[in-house]
Amino acid sequence: MFWSVFDMFASVLFVVVFILSRKLHFCAADLCNWSGSGFPISIDTRMVLQVRLRCTEGSVRWAYPGQALRVVLEPNLSSSARRSTLCIKPSPSFGGASLFIERGGQLEPLVTDGGRVERVSCFSGDELHVPAIYIQTSLPGDEPWSPRWLGFRYELMANRSAAPSLDHTTLCRPCNDTELLMAVCNSDFVVRGFIKDVLHNLDRQISLVEVLAVKVHWQRSGVFEHQAIAPGSSGTVPSWRGVIRAHLQCGVKSGEGDFLFTGSEHFGDAWLGCAPRYKHFLSIYRTAKAWFRNPCDFPLD
């Protein structure tokens, strides 16, 4: 028997839908980031679009935002590596919407419609509940689907001291010898260099420390960028440049001599941790190594 035109069209349509569904499934395989549209829930504005992510950091981008979006964070972590602090950085275009943190079934407002969008907001999570982020849009009746997008970046961290916008006192106190040795083992960046300049931003309550580095031992991302140096220059000539952020209350000042800068990276920015003078670090490290008390091996110059 020959198929009718309708049967052939239905078969082709089934194949196309199957391929598209497989493609959409493949696109959703990135468990750290999500990009989507609000059009699928335009039929029923009471629907809440549900998204689940499985990483400790990533981003969400919602084009043509609909009524509501709920993002559940379920990172693949062992019980010994619980992340209890959640930091969120809304997109600059986060207008016409409110952002909430859902904890224990309760919604706590973080950004309200028409309110000021903070650069980074952090809060302690509840280890008994999976953290969730809830977006509620306020759509005008005559323009229900405006051509715009909104979203945020997120990071789950192990403790409050790692968050860049929490307790100033904890972050600003000097590091003891044990903390310094641990910092060179666990920091997102370890850099030997000089302070070129320090700029204080009173509005944001942060200091921007411009660092010229002679050695980048490691860094998680590209905060420090390599610069060309003249041929034949000595090894102490700075060949890297980067900016490290610190809270204004820390009172960071320019100083002569070389330092060993350590710290954490959040949303592409470097935040200052322990920063001893390099000679002081060498003395502490060599003493610890002689007594077999150094937590990790560090490559000395």
Side-chain angles (χ1 to χ4, degrees):
M1 294 180 61
F2 293 96
W3 286 2
S4 65
V5 176
F6 175 80
D7 291 333
M8 293 178 62
F9 175 79
S11 300
V12 172
L13 181 59
F14 173 80
V15 173
V16 171
V17 171
F18 175 78
I19 294 176
L20 287 176
S21 64
R22 296 284 293 184
K23 184 176 181 181
L24 288 174
H25 177 72
F26 174 79
C27 293
D30 184 355
L31 301 180
C32 302
N33 311 290
W34 178 83
S35 295
S37 171
F39 278 119
I41 60 174
S42 61
I43 299 176
D44 187 353
T45 58
R46 298 171 299 176
M47 293 178 60
V48 177
L49 188 60
Q50 301 277 351
V51 174
R52 293 184 180 271
L53 300 176
R54 302 283 292 178
C55 295
T56 57
E57 62 179 275
S59 64
V60 170
R61 181 185 174 95
W62 196 17
Y64 295 93
Q67 192 70 8
L69 172 68
R70 183 174 182 264
V71 181
V72 179
L73 303 179
E74 295 179 324
N76 293 311
L77 296 172
S78 63
S79 58
S80 61
R82 299 286 293 181
R83 303 298 180 99
S84 58
T85 298
L86 174 61
C87 291
I88 299 174
K89 181 180 180 181
S91 63
S93 61
F94 206 97
S98 298
L99 182 66
F100 300 87
I101 303 301
E102 181 181 322
R103 291 190 290 183
Q106 301 294 323
L107 294 179
E108 302 177 15
L110 184 63
V111 177
T112 58
D113 184 14
R116 181 172 179 265
V117 178
E118 298 290 341
R119 180 175 176 81
V120 176
S121 298
C122 301
F123 65 95
S124 295
D126 184 354
E127 295 188 2
L128 298 178
H129 300 88
V130 177
I133 305 166
Y134 189 88
I135 299 178
Q136 176 73 45
T137 60
S138 55
L139 302 174
D142 55 344
E143 297 181 2
W145 301 104
S146 57
R148 63 187 181 96
W149 71 274
L150 54 84
F152 58 86
R153 296 172 64 183
Y154 69 91
E155 285 191 14
L156 280 166
M157 288 169 283
N159 51 59
R160 291 178 62 88
S161 62
S165 63
L166 297 174
D167 193 341
H168 297 287
T169 304
T170 302
L171 293 170
C172 293
R173 65 174 178 79
C175 297
N176 58 39
D177 293 353
T178 302
E179 291 171 332
L180 175 56
L181 293 173
M182 292 300 298
V184 298
C185 301
N186 300 328
S187 292
D188 291 335
F189 65 89
V190 179
V191 175
R192 179 188 175 187
F194 307 85
I195 297 178
K196 180 181 179 181
D197 197 9
V198 179
L199 300 177
H200 302 293
N201 189 317
L202 299 179
D203 294 334
R204 294 174 53 193
Q205 290 292 296
I206 63 172
S207 298
L208 303 178
V209 185
E210 184 179 1
V211 173
L212 299 180
V214 299
K215 180 74 172 181
V216 175
H217 292 279
W218 56 76
Q219 60 176 329
R220 185 159 63 94
S221 60
V223 173
F224 292 88
E225 298 179 347
H226 193 270
Q227 300 181 119
I229 59 175
S233 300
S234 66
T236 58
V237 175
S239 58
W240 299 80
R241 179 190 176 278
V243 175
I244 303 176
R245 288 161 169 75
H247 291 282
L248 190 64
Q249 293 184 11
C250 296
V252 179
K253 300 178 181 179
S254 299
E256 297 181 356
D258 54 340
F259 297 81
L260 189 68
F261 299 96
T262 68
S264 57
E265 297 180 18
H266 303 286
F267 304 108
D269 296 331
W271 288 86
L272 186 63
C274 300
R277 292 189 178 274
Y278 189 69
K279 291 183 178 180
H280 179 58
F281 162 74
L282 287 180
S283 176
I284 295 174
Y285 180 80
R286 286 169 175 164
T287 300
K289 189 172 184 178
W291 289 92
F292 302 98
R293 294 176 179 174
N294 51 319
C296 67
D297 289 328
F298 185 80
L300 301 179
D301 295 341

